[in-house]
Amino acid sequence: MGTLVAKNKETREFDGRPYLMERALSADFAFVKAWKGDKWGNLVYRKTARNFNPIMAAAAKVTIAEVEHLVEVGELEPDLVHTPSVYVQRIFQGELTRNEIEKRTVRKAG
């Protein structure tokens, strides 16, 4: 409130506090990468992929998911699913997934 971001945007007051109204996030397509998924499209992410992938999968009209491990339906623990299959329209197992960690050295270890 009171910044350049709020200029020419709708504001409303709730319980005595002013709020800036923003439009919801939406997208036509979301391309997400998951660690594991089942054939129905339930997805499990690892590490920082949990930050934005579930949000984008839910916001897009069509979500296409690449998974490192494609498993049968029922193999995923229901409590561990981060994106339910209702948000995923296409799923495939990636063929060239590599998990390399870059290591920079300036001198020989020893």
Side-chain angles (χ1 to χ4, degrees), residues 32 34 36-45 57 63-67 69-74 76 81-92:
V32 297
K36 193 183 280 190
D38 66 17
K39 293 184 177 184
W40 278 0
N42 295 302
L43 303 177
V44 178
Y45 305 105
T63 299
I64 301 166
E66 175 185 1
V67 296
H69 306 285
L70 187 61
V71 298
E72 293 297 324
V73 175
L76 295 179
V81 172
H82 300 127
T83 299
S85 62
V86 69
Y87 296 116
V88 179
Q89 285 70 38
R90 303 284 184 266
I91 188 167
F92 67 96

Side-chain angles (χ1 to χ4, degrees), residues 25-30 56 59-62:
L25 178 67
S26 65
D28 291 330
F29 295 96
M56 287 309 303
K61 294 175 185 170
V62 176

Side-chain angles (χ1 to χ4, degrees), residues 5-106:
V5 174
K7 187 177 179 180
N8 298 326
K9 292 190 179 175
E10 181 183 355
T11 60
R12 290 195 186 168
E13 189 173 306
F14 297 100
D15 297 327
R17 292 186 65 186
Y19 289 90
L20 179 66
M21 303 302 287
E22 289 282 354
R23 296 190 59 81
L25 178 67
S26 65
D28 291 330
F29 295 96
F31 299 94
V32 297
K33 183 171 181 183
W35 172 61
K36 193 183 280 190
D38 66 17
K39 293 184 177 184
W40 278 0
N42 295 302
L43 303 177
V44 178
Y45 305 105
R46 290 183 67 218
K47 302 183 181 180
T48 59
R50 292 181 63 183
N51 292 338
F52 294 106
N53 284 351
I55 297 166
M56 287 309 303
K61 294 175 185 170
V62 176
T63 299
I64 301 166
E66 175 185 1
V67 296
E68 291 183 31
H69 306 285
L70 187 61
V71 298
E72 293 297 324
V73 175
E75 287 187 39
L76 295 179
E77 178 84 28
D79 289 337
L80 299 180
V81 172
H82 300 127
T83 299
S85 62
V86 69
Y87 296 116
V88 179
Q89 285 70 38
R90 303 284 184 266
I91 188 167
F92 67 96
Q93 183 170 359
E95 295 179 10
L96 301 175
T97 56
R98 295 185 302 184
N99 294 326
E100 295 178 3
I101 297 175
E102 183 177 334
K103 197 181 255 187
R104 182 177 294 181
T105 58
V106 293

